[in-house]
């Protein structure tokens, strides 16, 4: 055996060094994280990132925090196509193109920093307009049209549903720092705002201080948001409120209800081969009668400051149920006082304009207004939306709720019906509702729709 064959490493190639493209990509992402979490510039990362960008043939303006994506695309039109769908996941196909990954990292970093590194302090109209444009490019990168994620109308890639509320929150923060009334006074700027829950809350709180053009623009934004949410909720309710077939009612024996397939199947034993004729002993009909909705739905909503999301969602939901046949919907809102909003229940936009968010809450006052509306307890459902922090009024409110429940009313306590599903509920009430057999519904509005479906069908 020769020396070469005895050597255990003779046929093993020398170890290769780290891939330079991997290093370049890591530099860009380290700079992205540093910029997002620390406004102070890191000279070493900036210098290294500039070298990477120049090496791969991209413009150094990508690293300029003051340059919008629009301005970069105007100077370098070829980049527009690269931003489109930039963050949409691609199916793995063969070898990784590490050079392309570096280029993508540079473009992704630019879009994310322009949108999420929004700084602090006063905001000018120009800065807000630039941010809205950059947010539009981020939405394009996620595979959505501009405004799609912020408006919640489309989801784009798999992360779109989670990113939409975050974009809305950043925009609302910029608007609040710019002074909302100044934005609303400019029709062109107000038209670019994307309605979101946080923005709607600000509009509802400040509506008493608005007038003229600003008030008209505020109403237009609220109307847009209400219509968008209503479209989603209406679909959920239409699916949920189709009643089950009521088989306790015999099917109506008319030709249009004749179940021809079942009739033939059941009478096959009467087939005469000689005559080639089927003799029918019995006709079978389809059940078409469905269980109907109750005659009365009473919705009581806490309009104190902590419940704004629920107030908006449940007002819209009440209006949708009010549009169903044979449902008599009553809507009551309360803080330290209660107001009967039933005359406007068909128009959630009108209802929201008549609410006065903020202040404390007095549940017994609302119960005093709600109880006289109960005509037939066993054909009534009462939905009560609140965080149930009543303090010294806790016992009187619970006693009223207990009496309503024991009378036969279907009582549904709701801790929140929000997009996030996060809401604190008074533990004192939560435990007593469990004992009463009416646990708190808390989370996404789908849960409330499902709970109502259980009663309505």
């Amino acid at each position: 055996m020769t020396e070469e064959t005895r050597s255990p490493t003779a046929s093993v190639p020398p170890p290769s060094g780290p891939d330079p493209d991997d290093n370049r990509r890591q530099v860009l992402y380290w700079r992205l994280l540093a910029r997002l979490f620390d406004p102070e510039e890191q000279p070493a990362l900036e210098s290294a990132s500039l070298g990477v960008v120049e090496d791969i043939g991209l413009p150094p303006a990508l690293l300029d925090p003051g340059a919008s994506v629009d301005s970069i695309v105007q100077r370098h039109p070829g980049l527009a196509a690269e931003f489109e769908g930039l963050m949409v996941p691609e199916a793995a196909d063969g070898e990784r193109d590490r050079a392309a990954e570096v280029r993508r990292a540079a473009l992704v970093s630019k879009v994310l920093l322009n949108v999420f590194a929004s700084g602090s302090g006063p905001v000018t109209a120009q800065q807000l307009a630039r941010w809205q444009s950059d947010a539009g490019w981020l939405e394009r990168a996620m595979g959505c049209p501009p405004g799609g994620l912020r408006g919640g109308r489309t989801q784009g890639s798999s992360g779109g549903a989670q990113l939409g509320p975050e974009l809305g929150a950043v925009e609302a923060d910029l608007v609040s720092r710019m002074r909302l009334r100044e934005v609303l006074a400019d029709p062109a700027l107000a038209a670019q705002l994307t309605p979101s829950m946080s923005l709607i809350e600000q509009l509802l709180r400040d509506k008493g201080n608005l007038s003229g053009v600003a008030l008209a623009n505020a109403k237009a934004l609220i109307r847009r948001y209400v219509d968008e949410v209503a479209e989603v909720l209406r679909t959920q309710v239409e699916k949920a409120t189709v009643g089950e077939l009521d088989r306790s009612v015999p099917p109506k024996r008319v030709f249009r209800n004749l179940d021809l397939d079942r009739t033939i199947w059941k009478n096959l034993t009467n087939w005469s081969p000689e005559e080639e004729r089927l003799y029918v002993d019995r006709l079978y009909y389809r059940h078409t009668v469905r269980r109907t909705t109750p005659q009365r739905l009473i919705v009581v909503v806490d309009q104190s400051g902590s419940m704004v999301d629920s107030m908006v969602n449940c007002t819209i939901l009440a209006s949708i149920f009010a549009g169903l046949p044979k449902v008599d919907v009553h809507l009551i809102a309360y803080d330290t006082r209660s107001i009967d909003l039933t005359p406007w229940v068909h128009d959630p936009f009108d209802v929201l304009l008549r609410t006065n968010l903020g202040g404390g809450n007095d549940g017994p006052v609302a119960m005093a207004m709600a109880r006289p509306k109960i005509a037939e307890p066993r054909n009534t459902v009462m939905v009560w939306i609140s965080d149930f922090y009543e303090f010294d009024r806790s016992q009187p409110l619970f006693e009223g709720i207990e009496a309503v429940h024991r009378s036969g009313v279907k009582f549904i306590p709701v801790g929140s019906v929000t997009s996030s599903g996060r809401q604190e509920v008074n533990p004192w009430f939560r435990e007593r509702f469990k004992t009463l057999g009416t646990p708190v519904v808390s989370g996404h509005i789908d849960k409330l729709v499902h709970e109502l479906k259980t009663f309505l069908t």
Side-chain angles (χ1 to χ4, degrees):
M1 183 179 292
T2 66
E3 183 67 25
E4 182 178 353
T5 59
R6 285 197 302 268
S7 173
T9 60
S11 60
V12 179
S16 60
D19 189 293
D21 285 326
D22 284 345
N23 289 341
R24 292 188 180 101
R25 190 177 69 253
Q26 287 181 17
V27 166
L28 293 172
Y29 282 140
W30 275 115
R31 175 183 178 271
L32 168 63
L33 293 173
R35 282 274 187 173
L36 284 174
F37 295 104
D38 187 354
E40 293 295 326
E41 184 178 291
Q42 303 292 323
L45 283 175
E46 294 297 323
S47 176
S49 298
L50 178 61
V52 170
V53 166
E54 290 177 339
D55 281 348
I56 61 179
L58 286 173
L62 282 175
L63 303 179
D64 180 2
S68 67
V69 178
D70 263 344
S71 66
I72 292 173
V73 168
Q74 286 170 4
R75 297 172 193 167
H76 307 275
L79 291 179
E82 292 191 58
F83 279 110
E84 297 281 352
L86 176 67
M87 299 171 69
V88 176
E90 298 178 353
D93 185 19
E95 292 287 328
R96 287 174 56 188
D97 187 343
R98 285 179 164 80
E101 289 178 1
V102 177
R103 191 175 182 88
R104 190 179 305 117
L107 298 175
V108 167
S109 295
K110 177 59 180 173
V111 177
L112 292 178
L113 282 175
N114 275 27
V115 172
F116 290 106
S118 55
S120 60
V123 175
T124 66
Q126 183 180 8
Q127 288 173 320
L128 176 62
R130 197 197 86 167
W131 182 92
Q132 290 170 331
S133 172
D134 287 333
W137 280 106
L138 175 59
E139 287 165 322
R140 288 188 182 100
M142 297 289 291
C144 296
L149 292 181
R150 284 169 284 164
R153 293 179 292 276
T154 54
Q155 293 187 2
S157 64
S158 58
Q162 290 74 35
L163 187 60
E166 298 299 328
L167 284 176
V170 175
E171 183 178 43
D173 175 62
L174 291 171
V175 170
S176 66
R177 284 155 50 193
M178 184 183 169
R179 296 177 184 172
L180 182 59
R181 297 174 202 174
E182 295 178 14
V183 180
L184 294 173
D186 183 340
L189 195 57
Q192 296 181 50
L193 291 177
T194 305
S196 62
M197 179 55 67
S198 54
L199 178 59
I200 297 306
E201 179 177 357
Q202 291 184 60
L203 294 174
L204 292 175
R205 291 185 187 281
D206 202 38
K207 65 181 186 293
N209 299 315
L210 302 176
S211 61
V213 174
L215 181 59
N217 287 330
K219 288 182 176 180
L221 284 165
I222 296 172
R223 172 70 77 181
R224 280 171 57 193
Y225 186 79
V226 165
D227 290 346
E228 289 171 5
V229 176
E231 183 179 353
V232 175
L233 295 185
R234 191 172 290 111
T235 301
Q236 296 174 350
V237 171
E238 286 172 353
K239 291 178 180 178
T241 56
V242 176
E244 299 174 353
L245 291 173
D246 190 352
R247 300 191 182 277
S248 65
V249 178
K252 194 171 184 180
R253 296 176 180 274
V254 295
F255 179 75
R256 68 173 178 272
N257 291 343
L258 179 65
D259 190 339
L260 190 58
D261 290 341
R262 190 177 179 211
T263 297
I264 293 174
W265 177 258
K266 291 288 188 179
N267 288 281
L268 280 178
T269 54
N270 298 328
W271 169 256
S272 172
E274 296 81 10
E275 303 176 65
E276 295 187 350
R277 181 172 297 181
L278 178 67
Y279 291 91
V280 177
D281 291 335
R282 181 181 174 185
L283 297 174
Y284 291 85
Y285 296 88
R286 299 184 185 91
H287 282 79
T288 57
V289 177
R290 295 183 180 270
R291 300 186 189 276
T292 57
T293 52
Q295 293 180 348
R296 184 152 297 185
L297 172 64
I298 303 171
V299 180
V300 184
V301 186
D302 177 353
Q303 66 169 350
S304 62
S306 60
M307 296 297 294
V308 59
D309 203 339
S310 294
M311 177 75 200
V312 173
N313 279 286
C314 288
T315 294
I316 296 171
L317 189 62
S319 73
I320 293 170
F321 276 105
L324 298 177
K326 300 181 181 179
V327 183
D328 180 20
V329 177
H330 294 254
L331 178 62
I332 296 170
Y334 74 98
D335 44 29
T336 54
R337 299 174 298 173
S338 61
I339 178 172
D340 189 348
L341 297 168
T342 303
W344 304 278
V345 72
H346 290 274
D347 190 343
F349 172 74
D350 248 354
V351 167
L352 290 174
L353 290 184
R354 293 173 187 276
T355 58
N356 185 25
L357 297 176
N361 51 345
D362 191 336
V365 169
M367 180 59 78
M369 180 176 285
R371 288 187 71 171
K373 294 180 176 291
I374 302 171
E376 299 179 20
R378 298 197 176 278
N379 205 21
T380 300
V381 59
M382 180 182 288
V383 178
W384 194 291
I385 302 100
S386 175
D387 54 12
F388 296 99
Y389 278 94
E390 294 286 335
F391 304 102
D392 60 332
R393 294 175 296 276
S394 294
Q395 189 62 39
L397 175 58
F398 182 74
E399 289 173 357
I401 291 172
E402 188 176 30
V404 165
H405 172 68
R406 301 210 183 280
S407 72
V409 171
K410 170 68 174 178
F411 184 82
I412 304 176
V414 180
S416 68
V417 279
T418 67
S419 53
S420 66
R422 295 188 296 270
Q423 181 72 41
E424 185 179 359
V425 177
N426 187 341
W428 189 90
F429 269 94
R430 188 186 290 277
E431 290 304 315
R432 278 156 182 76
F433 283 139
K434 284 183 182 179
T435 304
L436 196 61
T438 58
V440 174
V441 176
S442 186
H444 196 277
I445 197 166
D446 283 350
K447 291 187 178 182
L448 177 57
V449 173
H450 175 76
E451 188 73 14
L452 287 171
K453 173 185 175 182
T454 303
F455 181 77
L456 300 178
T457 60

